[in-house]
């Protein structure tokens, strides 16, 4: 069987793009690249040892995720969020995730759903002493899982489109406030509310969770 060399090159290019995307996303969400930092293509492509074309593909994705933005003359820089933007992000999260919680609370297979969510919070607890990046991932995994369990692809897509902005908002006020929002007890409360079968109560618990989280970040 013949091998299409073009396909192999495409796979290699995709791999480089994904590696660059992961490295840049990590640098931004951990504060290594601070808000407002101008992203110079030549410097980044040299640092990552990739072509400028591959770098541009990764940066387009980061723009879609809300991690970087274009300023004057199209210059790209790490996005800077203000307090209003963070509250807006968490208000939209509250709408999406309260919808998920309401839906899950009404499901016949609620026992299995609750077990999955409780395991996700247990995972957060296990990462409690880990580095901040792993803790952020465990936290986001819980919220993403809650949306995915609904089976509502539109809901999941909308939540995923916010994920970059969520990552940025987590680091808005520094590590201490970010960690305060990752407290496992706050997340077990959401699971308990879903387990109760009270859709309105579950939705209200999620909304309260998001209001508190935003207030913690912006003061």
């Amino acid at each position: 069987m013949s091998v299409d060399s073009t396909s192999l090159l495409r796979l290699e290019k995709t791999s480089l793009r994904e590696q660059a995307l992961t490295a840049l996303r990590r640098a931004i969400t951990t504060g290594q690249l601070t808000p407002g930092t101008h992203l110079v293509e030549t410097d980044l492509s040299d640092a990552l040892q990739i072509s400028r074309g591959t770098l541009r593909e990764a940066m387009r994705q980061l723009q879609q995720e809300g991690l970087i933005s274009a300023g004057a003359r199209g210059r790209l820089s790490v996005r800077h969020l203000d307090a209003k933007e963070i509250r807006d992000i968490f208000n939209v999260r509250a709408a999406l995730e309260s919808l998920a919680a309401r839906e899950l609370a009404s499901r016949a297979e609620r026992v299995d759903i609750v077990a999955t969510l409780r395991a996700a919070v247990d995972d957060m607890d296990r990462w409690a002493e880990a580095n901040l990046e792993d803790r952020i991932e465990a936290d986001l995994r819980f919220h993403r899982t809650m949306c995915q369990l609904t089976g509502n692809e539109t809901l999941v897509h909308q939540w995923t489109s916010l994920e970059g902005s969520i990552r940025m908002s987590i680091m808005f006020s520094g590590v201490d406030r970010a960690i305060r929002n990752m407290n496992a007890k706050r997340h077990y409360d959401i699971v308990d509310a879903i387990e109760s079968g009270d859709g309105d109560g579950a939705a209200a618990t999620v909304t309260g969770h998001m209001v508190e989280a935003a207030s913690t970040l912006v003061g």
Side-chain angles (χ1 to χ4, degrees):
M1 184 177 88
S2 63
V3 176
D4 182 350
S5 61
T6 304
S7 296
L8 291 178
L9 290 172
R10 191 179 304 120
L11 286 172
E12 181 181 352
K13 184 178 180 182
T14 301
S15 176
L16 286 173
R17 173 189 174 278
E18 291 302 321
Q19 289 177 53
L21 185 58
T22 298
L24 289 169
R25 188 187 288 126
R26 180 183 298 118
I28 292 169
T29 56
T30 60
Q32 183 181 346
L33 288 173
T34 57
T37 300
H38 290 298
L39 302 174
V40 181
E41 279 189 9
T42 50
D43 294 345
L44 288 174
S45 59
D46 288 345
L48 294 167
Q49 298 186 324
I50 57 174
S51 71
R52 292 174 69 177
T54 301
L55 175 66
R56 286 189 195 112
E57 290 180 12
M59 290 174 72
R60 275 196 293 270
Q61 177 63 34
L62 292 173
Q63 273 188 279
Q64 292 176 6
E65 292 180 9
L67 292 176
I68 64 178
S69 58
R73 300 178 184 174
R75 292 186 66 186
L76 295 174
S77 59
V78 177
R79 185 179 172 198
H80 180 275
L81 295 175
D82 60 28
K84 179 185 181 302
E85 286 176 303
I86 289 176
R87 290 194 183 279
D88 288 346
I89 290 165
F90 276 81
N91 282 338
V92 175
R93 284 190 70 186
L96 293 173
E97 295 189 34
S98 63
L99 174 61
R102 186 189 303 277
E103 170 69 19
L104 295 177
S106 69
R107 292 288 180 84
E109 70 275 23
R110 194 167 65 251
V111 171
D112 293 336
I113 288 169
V114 166
T116 299
L117 291 174
R118 207 171 289 283
V121 185
D122 290 344
D123 194 43
M124 287 179 63
D125 237 355
R126 280 193 292 273
W127 288 106
E129 302 303 321
N131 62 63
L132 181 61
E133 185 182 351
D134 288 332
R135 295 189 69 174
I136 290 172
E137 292 310 311
D139 180 277
L140 291 178
R141 194 156 48 245
F142 168 82
H143 292 280
R144 189 187 305 111
T145 298
M146 186 168 67
C147 293
Q148 290 171 336
L149 286 170
T150 66
N152 184 330
E153 293 300 326
T154 301
L155 171 59
V156 174
H157 175 74
Q158 294 302 318
W159 189 94
T160 302
S161 71
L162 278 177
E163 192 165 347
S165 296
I166 294 169
R167 291 173 187 276
M168 290 291 290
S169 66
I170 288 172
M171 294 306 299
F172 175 81
S173 298
V175 175
D176 290 343
R177 293 194 183 194
I179 288 175
R180 206 181 309 166
N181 277 341
M182 296 176 203
N183 179 276
K185 169 64 169 59
R186 300 179 66 247
H187 294 76
Y188 281 124
D189 288 344
I190 293 174
V191 181
D192 290 344
I194 291 172
E195 186 175 31
S196 74
D198 176 2
D200 290 342
T205 299
V206 170
T207 299
H209 178 102
M210 293 302 166
V211 169
E212 182 183 344
S215 295
T216 296
L217 292 176
V218 303

